[in-house]
Amino acid sequence: MSSQGILTIVSGFSGVGKGTLMKCLLSEYPSEYCLSISATTRAPRAGETDGVNYFFVTREQFETMIREDKLIEYARYVDHYYGTPKDFVVEKLSQGINVILEIEMQGALKMKQKYPESLLIFVVPPKASDLEERLVGRGTEPPEVIKNRLRRAAQEAVYMKDYDYIVVNDEVERATRQIHEIITNERDRVLRRDDFIEKLTQELQIYSQQELK
Amino acid sequence: MSSQGILTIVSGFSGVGKGTLMKCLLSEYPSEYCLSISATTRAPRAGETDGVNYFFVTREQFETMIREDKLIEYARYVDHYYGTPKDFVVEKLSQGINVILEIEMQGALKMKQKYPESLLIFVVPPKASDLEERLVGRGTEPPEVIKNRLRRAAQEAVYMKDYDYIVVNDEVERATRQIHEIITNERDRVLRRDDFIEKLTQELQIYSQQELK
């Protein structure tokens, strides 16, 4: 029934499990979703690949993309630029495929202002202690780093109220299914059904004037 | 996870099948939904029962209810008053049960202005010709009456853009399931998760200040 895909931004505190949910969503519903790959000026970390995790570009290249309006949105985060290349997104949406952006909160809010029809989903832990346990349980970071992540989460919590939906990552399959249902249902929001509404309205006007069969 | 029920208004053109969808919804998910019974000053039709289809009241009784603020909303439609008694709705919502109102479009829009957290769903036929076929197929109304209903539908079509969701009644079970999913997902909209957001934010602040276990 619906035609265009929906641009959905998924954000959440570091460690909450966004990456896992996105992998699960893409593998459960491969024909309906794709992940947008951001451009960034930061250096790749161990294990990251250009064109897979990010498009890794120089600052000059990024600034050229800005000037040539090739980015849907961009922001500075810590010391680097991050942005969403436009062509890929526009093409996929027009094919009826939902595009997921995993971007940080500044960029998400800018996106929503510019494109009110985009959808903002904030992934949260069931409770704060779960987040701490998950970060501690990884065993890869010292206590001070974990404490900083929790502090940053406490600061980022103010953004929750500007998002559209809260999804609690209590269990991966349930949360993934919920994200899928949210996006699927959102396609029937009136603001995305303009064409259908106009067509039905015109048909009704024609029918109400014709002689009946 | 969510606590309060959602107040949902379901509207649609005469003959589109709202009644059937609501019966199906209530029988599929009896513990999650209830139907609000409107008060009206119009006379009961053959087969209607007081307290089941409507609360049939006199004009004086209705005006008393207005004065005593016992109605969530009310409107005049054709020659009579129609309104939604408040106590029942408030009680059910606080028990976490979603309340469905089947009211006409004037009342629906007034409700949305007064209670922005309420949800407006507009049920439509897949195409205008389906509506005509359904009305003709009933065999209970003469062509002129059917033509008037189609004309009224053409006029009412302007209200669609003020609703939140369009649900196409192509097949009863599918449309019912969609309505259920829309309402269920809407419970996770940020505007309805204030308490959870506040609690999580406070917990994060506490955790980020504590020593780690």
Side-chain angles (χ1 to χ4, degrees):
Chain A
M1 287 285 154
S2 315
S3 43
Q4 282 259 93
I6 295 186
L7 185 58
T8 301
I9 295 150
V10 178
S11 305
F13 310 125
S14 175
V16 79
K18 290 187 305 297
T20 309
L21 291 183
M22 294 303 96
K23 279 203 188 81
C24 195
L25 188 71
L26 288 158
S27 84
E28 288 288 315
Y29 313 100
S31 60
E32 300 184 54
Y33 297 96
C34 67
L35 213 52
S36 160
I37 311 213
S38 299
T40 184
T41 56
R42 77 152 171 76
R45 291 178 190 145
E48 289 183 331
T49 314
D50 184 41
V52 173
N53 306 90
Y54 284 97
F55 293 112
F56 295 103
V57 301
T58 64
R59 172 172 274 228
E60 290 71 31
Q61 284 169 321
F62 200 98
E63 285 169 352
T64 302
M65 289 170 91
I66 294 173
R67 261 195 325 270
E68 294 181 357
D69 195 35
K70 291 220 183 282
L71 299 169
I72 286 190
E73 59 77 39
Y74 68 94
R76 279 183 75 92
Y77 194 58
V78 191
D79 295 320
H80 291 286
Y81 279 122
Y82 295 77
T84 301
K86 186 185 285 189
D87 293 346
F88 174 82
V89 172
V90 169
E91 183 193 341
K92 290 296 178 187
L93 293 181
S94 70
Q95 291 169 357
I97 298 170
N98 302 308
V99 178
I100 312 273
L101 266 59
E102 258 193 271
I103 65 180
E104 41 65 45
M105 294 155 210
Q106 274 190 63
L109 296 188
K110 276 194 204 173
M111 184 77 87
K112 184 73 177 180
Q113 278 173 358
K114 201 168 168 190
Y115 303 100
E117 68 278 12
S118 59
L119 194 60
L120 264 47
I121 296 179
F122 204 111
V123 178
V124 293
K127 28 192 217 308
S129 54
D130 288 344
L131 188 64
E132 184 194 40
E133 277 164 29
R134 196 175 300 196
L135 289 168
V136 168
R138 281 186 188 174
T140 54
E141 284 149 345
E144 267 314 300
V145 170
I146 292 176
K147 205 176 186 92
N148 280 338
R149 287 186 187 271
L150 288 168
R151 267 194 213 111
R152 206 169 77 211
Q155 291 163 358
E156 289 172 338
V158 304
Y159 287 105
M160 281 194 275
K161 66 178 179 359
D162 296 314
Y163 276 62
D164 297 312
Y165 287 88
I166 299 284
V167 170
V168 178
N169 189 12
D170 46 4
E171 198 272 314
V172 173
E173 290 205 25
R174 191 212 66 78
T176 301
R177 195 169 50 246
Q178 186 186 358
I179 290 173
H180 172 61
E181 285 177 5
I182 285 170
I183 296 172
T184 303
N185 283 311
E186 277 284 329
R187 288 176 78 139
D188 284 299
R189 279 212 152 241
V190 158
L191 68 91
R192 297 191 185 86
R193 301 303 304 277
D194 280 358
D195 291 350
F196 176 85
I197 288 173
E198 197 179 313
K199 181 156 169 283
L200 183 64
T201 305
Q202 287 173 358
E203 285 176 3
L204 284 166
Q205 283 164 352
I206 292 169
Y207 266 90
S208 64
Q209 286 152 17
Q210 275 175 357
E211 286 309 313
L212 291 169
K213 296 194 269 277
Chain B
M1 288 285 155
S2 316
S3 43
Q4 281 258 95
I6 295 187
L7 186 57
T8 302
I9 296 150
V10 178
S11 306
F13 310 126
S14 174
V16 79
K18 290 187 303 299
T20 308
L21 291 183
M22 293 303 96
K23 278 203 188 80
C24 195
L25 188 72
L26 288 158
S27 85
E28 287 289 314
Y29 313 99
S31 60
E32 299 183 55
Y33 297 96
C34 66
L35 213 52
S36 160
I37 311 212
S38 299
T40 185
T41 57
R42 76 153 172 76
R45 292 178 189 145
E48 288 185 330
T49 313
D50 185 40
V52 173
N53 306 90
Y54 284 97
F55 292 113
F56 295 102
V57 300
T58 64
R59 173 173 273 228
E60 289 73 30
Q61 285 170 320
F62 200 97
E63 286 169 352
T64 302
M65 288 170 92
I66 294 172
R67 263 197 322 275
E68 295 180 356
D69 195 34
K70 292 220 183 285
L71 300 169
I72 287 190
E73 57 79 39
Y74 67 93
R76 277 183 74 94
Y77 194 56
V78 191
D79 296 319
H80 291 285
Y81 280 123
Y82 295 78
T84 302
K86 185 185 285 189
D87 293 345
F88 174 83
V89 172
V90 168
E91 182 192 344
K92 291 295 179 186
L93 292 181
S94 69
Q95 292 167 357
I97 297 170
N98 301 309
V99 178
I100 312 273
L101 265 58
E102 258 195 271
I103 65 179
E104 41 65 45
M105 295 155 210
Q106 274 190 62
L109 296 188
K110 274 193 205 175
M111 185 78 86
K112 185 73 178 180
Q113 278 173 357
K114 202 169 167 190
Y115 303 101
E117 68 278 11
S118 60
L119 194 59
L120 263 48
I121 296 179
F122 204 111
V123 179
V124 293
K127 25 192 219 309
S129 55
D130 288 343
L131 188 63
E132 184 193 43
E133 277 164 30
R134 195 175 303 197
L135 289 168
V136 169
R138 281 185 189 174
T140 54
E141 283 149 349
E144 267 315 301
V145 171
I146 292 176
K147 203 176 188 100
N148 279 338
R149 287 187 187 272
L150 288 169
R151 270 195 210 109
R152 206 169 77 210
Q155 292 163 357
E156 290 173 337
V158 304
Y159 287 106
M160 280 192 276
K161 66 178 179 358
D162 295 314
Y163 276 62
D164 296 311
Y165 287 89
I166 299 284
V167 170
V168 178
N169 189 12
D170 47 4
E171 200 272 314
V172 171
E173 290 204 25
R174 191 212 67 78
T176 302
R177 194 170 50 244
Q178 186 186 358
I179 290 174
H180 172 61
E181 285 177 5
I182 285 170
I183 297 171
T184 304
N185 282 313
E186 276 284 328
R187 289 175 78 138
D188 285 300
R189 278 213 152 239
V190 158
L191 69 90
R192 297 190 185 86
R193 300 305 303 278
D194 281 359
D195 291 350
F196 176 85
I197 289 174
E198 197 178 312
K199 181 155 169 286
L200 183 64
T201 304
Q202 287 173 357
E203 285 176 4
L204 285 166
Q205 283 163 353
I206 292 168
Y207 267 89
S208 66
Q209 286 152 17
Q210 275 173 358
E211 286 310 313
L212 291 169
K213 295 193 268 277

